[in-house]
Amino acid sequence: MLTEIFPFMFAVDTTAIAGTALWSLALYWGLSPLTEWVIEQLNRWMNFAERSLYTSESEFEKTRRSREALNSFYASLLSIVPFLLAGCLCNWGVEICLGRGWVISIGMIACIGGGVYELGRRDGKSS
């Protein structure tokens, strides 16, 4: 299907994409206090940037709650970007050190470890 649209071939490395996704998820879970901080900072920046677009205070206050909720949603979506970059670096490091065959396996192990850590951290926080 893509060859009908584009006259050239794309080289897609599925192992690198899967490994990067696994590592970014592991880092997102394992570094959850940092994740929450990134979301909060992005949300603050988006609210500040949007405030500068309005000239009247009444117009700004009229739709404030819905815009802040939308900014929170966008901030949570954009918060994965730094972890994708860090996951790409971790994936590349594993590929250099251990070889291409270990990328997905180590990514899955890291993902399980990050998930278990996050569950333990939340359990310890609640009790």
Side-chain angles (χ1 to χ4, degrees), residues 43-53 71:
N43 192 18
R44 283 181 51 209
W45 179 79
M46 287 180 181
N47 287 336
F48 175 75
E50 193 167 36
R51 173 64 186 113
S52 65
L53 297 175
N71 285 343

Side-chain angles (χ1 to χ4, degrees), residues 97-123:
C97 293
L98 298 176
R100 194 168 196 77
W102 284 94
V103 169
I104 293 178
S105 300
I106 299 294
M108 287 177 72
I109 291 170
C111 216
I112 291 168
V116 168
Y117 169 75
E118 177 62 16
L119 287 173
R121 188 187 71 80
R122 286 187 184 189
D123 184 49

Side-chain angles (χ1 to χ4, degrees), residues 9-82:
M9 296 291 293
F10 284 108
V12 177
D13 188 8
T14 55
T15 306
I17 293 171
T20 300
L22 285 170
W23 271 105
S24 64
L25 183 62
L27 293 171
Y28 195 81
W29 282 341
L31 302 173
S32 60
L34 180 65
T35 303
E36 293 168 5
W37 182 81
V38 168
I39 291 171
E40 183 179 324
Q41 297 307 313
L42 283 170
N43 192 18
R44 283 181 51 209
W45 179 79
M46 287 180 181
N47 287 336
F48 175 75
E50 193 167 36
R51 173 64 186 113
S52 65
L53 297 175
Y54 287 88
T55 55
S56 84
E57 185 72 27
S58 63
E59 187 67 32
F60 174 73
E61 292 296 330
K62 194 183 300 182
T63 60
R64 183 178 189 159
R65 290 190 60 182
S66 62
R67 284 181 290 103
E68 285 181 352
L70 190 62
N71 285 343
S72 295
F73 174 70
Y74 288 148
S76 66
L77 284 180
L78 286 175
S79 69
I80 191 67
V81 172

